[in-house]
Structure formats: C-alpha cells, structure tokens
Amino acid sequence: MADTPVVEMIEQEAGRTGKPARSVRVVLLALMIAMMLAMLDNMIVGTAMPTIVGDLGGLQHLSWVVTAYTLATAAATPVWGKLGDMYGRKGAFLASIVIFLVGSALSGMAQNMGELIGFRAVQGLGAGGLMVGVMAIIGDLIPPRERGKYQGMMAGVMALAMIGGPLVGGTITDNWGWRWAFYINLPLGVVALIAVSAVLHLPRKRAKARIDYLGVVLLTVGISSIVLVTTWGGTEYAWTSARIMELVAIGTAALVGFLFWQTRAAEPIVPLHIFRSRNFTLMSLIGFVTGFVMFGAVLFLPLYQQAVQGASATNSGLLLLPMLGSMLVVSMIAGRVTTSSGRYKVFPVVGSVLMVAGLYLLSLMDTGTTRLTSGIYMAVLGAGMGCLMQITMLVAQNSVQMKDMGVASSTTTLCRTLGSSFGVAVMGALFNNRVQDVMAQRAGALGSKVTEQSAQLDAASLAKLPAAAREAYQHAVSAGTHSAFLLGSVVGVLALVTAVFVKEVPLKGAGPAAPRTEEPADAAPSEGLAEAV
C-alpha cells in the first residue's frame, strides 16, 4: 500500500502553491543526484580508460572493466525492484547507494586490473538499484497525473550525463588522475544519502515470504548470458563460435526455467501477472526498442562526426547536443501536456514516427553531409526520444498495482537495458562488417589491414593513414552508419506498431483543473493512489 498521507500532502500543497511540498522537492533533488550517478559513471570512466590501462596494465582485460559493471547492473535491477516491494523502497534505495559508493571507493583504490574489474562489479550491483529506486520512489510520491511534470527533470539529467560525461571524465583524468573518476561519486552520493535518509518518509514493510533465491539465480544466469552474447559476439568471438553458442544455450535454458519457476514461486522476482496488463507489456516492448535505438545512435553519431566531418574527439559529448537538447525540450512539453490533460497515447505514436523518420534521415548521411544537416536530423530523432523516454515508465507504472511498483519499474528499466545491449551489438556488427567491406573495395589489401583489428579508428590512428586510405575510411564509415541507422529505422517501426495498440487508461491523480477519475475497469491501478485520490 502506498503512503497515502504523503500523497495527500503533495496534492494539498500543490493545490495551494502549485508546487510540491518543500520536503518532496528535497527528495526529488536527491533522487536526481542518484540518477546522475548511475548514468554518468560509465561515460566518465570510458574517457579515463586509456590512462587506467597505462597505469594498471592488463590491456587484454580492458573490456571487462565495462562488462563487469554492465552485467552486475542488469542482473541486479529486477532484484532491487522486488526487494523494494517486499521490504520497503527507502531501505532498498539507501542500501543500493551505499553499495555503489563502496564500489566506487574500492575502484578508485584498485592496484591492478583484476581488482578494478571486481570492484566495478560491486559498483554495478549498487547501480542496479539506483535507477529503479528513483523511478519507484517517484511512483510512490507523485500521482501518475502529476508525474509528467518531472519528465523534463529526468530527461535533463540524462542529457547532462551524456553531454558532460566525456568532458568531466577528461578534465578529471587530466588534472586529478583517473582514480578521481571514481572518487567523484562519493560526495554526490553522500549528499543523496543524507537527503533521502532525513526527508523521505515511506511506510516500512516486512514481507513474510522469503526471497525467491532460485528465481534470482536463474534470472541472473539468463541476463548475464544475454549481455555476454551481445558484448562478445562479433568482437571477442565469432557469432557462430562454440563459446557464443554455449552462452545462447545457457541463457535460453535459464530464462525458460525462470519463467516456469515464476509461476510456482511464493514471492516471484518478476510476477508474471503484471504482463496481463496490455499497456505494461506494450510499454516494455517500446522501452526495449527505445534502448536499442538510443544507445546505437549515441555510439555511432560521434564516430561519424569525428571520422567523416573532422570533429574533435575531446568534445564528443557536445556533438550530441542537437539530439539531446531536442529530447529535453520535447520531454518537458510532453510532461506538461500529460499533466494538464491526463492524455498520453499521442506521445508514443508521434514519438515513434519521429524516431523512425530521424533514423531514416541519419541513414542518408554521406561524406558530403554538413554539420548543420546532420544536426537537424539528430534533432528529429531527439524529438522522438523525448516523446518516448519517460512516457514508457509513466504508463507502465500506471498499469500495475502499488504493491508491484518496484518490479514494474525494474522490468521496464531492464527491458531498456537489454535493448541497448542488443542495439549496440547488432548495429555494431552491421557497422563493422560494412566498414571492412568498403575498405577492402576502395583500398584493397591496405584497407583490409587498416581495419583488421577494429573498424573504429581513433583520431591518432586516422591521422597516420595515407590520404587515399583516409578517404576510403571516411566513405566506409558513411556506409557503415547508413546500414546501422537504416536497421534502426526498421526496428523503430516495431515501436510504432506497438504504440498504436496502447489503450489510453486515465492516469490516477487529478491535475489542477481536472475532475477526479474513477477506477478504470480494464486496468490494474495503483491501490494507494486510488485511495488517495
């Protein structure tokens, strides 16, 4: 059950002043800091990786610094959601912050690559609860109808992390050393920890049922296998290699076993009844597609602008400004419209159309495309993302009961995470194959030699190439991005088809001028919010 007095306090204070209560604003600020920690970390660390390898060695294990964090985050996400539902969200959220900070401190003190990989896994375990905790606590505090106001804040944090991450990472590494790329999390995390501890008041829970340990193991094995397949496939191992096939078999068996067990577990990690809600299932699918497209775009757009348009790698985050700025503005508009009208179906539909259009336009870029033109194309894609990023979570939470708010938030987040893993892997494989084919065609044996290690060259390697090979590489990257974004636009059509079938169930919680709504007969509403309103 929700903390009804908290919801009523928000509504009463909002009715008098048009703003949430001050204590709630403090909590929301702390939640935004926690979200920033979860999103900023990988981008800062990515910039520092060359320096880390130079200091600790272990170049052959470099990929595991990121993979260990990603695996732990993905595997822990649904577990944190369920723990919050069973034992109370405040305690679970504070625990995730503490684990993340401990992992950050230990990572900063690592003396070799093995230690760093292990400590990054600890950090990832905590990170899995940060995003889920933020979304679930906002779901507890803010009625869905009012929640649209805060979409702009969430989108702003995401944009700030993507733009500022590489810049902050480079500045910290150059001036303070790579260890501060991890230590920088500590003061921010402590602020969030103190604010949430002091101001957030949610009811304590104590579930009689035990944690579904078998479900945790099966889900962890399944998710880890999927992430490893998408991470290693086409890079560390060939897609048809025995190792990849083994991982596919293990992952499939674990997930099938997990689904079977969830129908029998006393307190399942992911209660399958939440998928009986059509809107929840559709939003999970749209979230997967959004993750697929979003992180693929973030990966290939800077690469294209650096290799083809000659942009500086130092300011790579700024290259995404047209897309992220558009996403931020549109997300704020969507949030305001949703709050004032209570209607939201138009945004998944329009967002999917803009996403498909933006990806198709980006697929048209070649070696002669100007930065202004590519910026406009990115803005179209960003507008589509702005319509989709937060609406998916809002509608998913509105489609379940309050007791399942945590697992709903974690499942939606997990779908987006898995989508990003598949997007980077599939679009990356297509990009790499296309680049190598075009290089072989245009530069012959020299082209094949240039890209035999990797189809993605850094600025230093690109500058050393002969003029003819450099020109061939620019054409190859253009061809690779064409194929990747064209694939993205095809996958985006799936989101559009899905969005058409979304049923507009009224959001609980009345807006400033809107009448109170009755319980929708065809949805599984949030119990506490229904009582509060």
Coordinates of all heavy atoms in Angstrom, one line a residue, residues 115 136 272 329 396 417 481 525:
E115 N 41.6 -6.4 -9.6 CA 40.8 -5.7 -8.5 C 39.8 -4.7 -9.1 O 38.7 -4.6 -8.6 CB 41.8 -5.0 -7.6 CG 42.7 -5.9 -6.8 CD 43.6 -5.1 -5.8 OE1 43.5 -3.9 -5.8 OE2 44.3 -5.8 -5.1
A136 N 10.8 4.1 -8.8 CA 9.8 3.5 -7.9 C 9.4 4.5 -6.8 O 8.2 4.6 -6.4 CB 10.3 2.2 -7.3
L272 N 4.5 -12.7 -13.0 CA 4.1 -12.7 -14.4 C 2.7 -12.0 -14.7 O 2.4 -11.7 -15.8 CB 4.1 -14.1 -15.0 CG 5.5 -14.8 -14.9 CD1 5.4 -16.2 -15.6 CD2 6.6 -14.0 -15.6
V329 N 13.7 19.3 -24.5 CA 12.6 20.2 -24.7 C 11.3 19.5 -24.9 O 10.3 19.8 -24.3 CB 12.9 21.2 -25.9 CG1 11.7 22.0 -26.2 CG2 14.1 22.1 -25.6
A396 N 3.7 2.4 -17.8 CA 4.0 1.1 -17.2 C 3.6 1.1 -15.7 O 3.0 0.2 -15.2 CB 5.4 0.7 -17.4
T417 N 17.5 -1.6 -20.8 CA 19.0 -2.0 -20.7 C 19.3 -3.1 -21.7 O 20.3 -3.1 -22.4 CB 19.3 -2.5 -19.3 OG1 19.0 -1.4 -18.4 CG2 20.8 -2.9 -19.2
T481 N 27.5 3.7 -41.1 CA 26.4 4.4 -40.4 C 25.1 4.3 -41.2 O 24.0 4.3 -40.5 CB 26.8 5.9 -40.1 OG1 27.2 6.5 -41.4 CG2 28.0 6.0 -39.2
P525 N -4.9 -0.7 -11.4 CA -4.5 0.6 -11.0 C -3.6 0.5 -9.7 O -3.5 -0.5 -9.1 CB -5.8 1.3 -10.7 CG -6.7 0.2 -10.3 CD -6.3 -1.0 -11.1

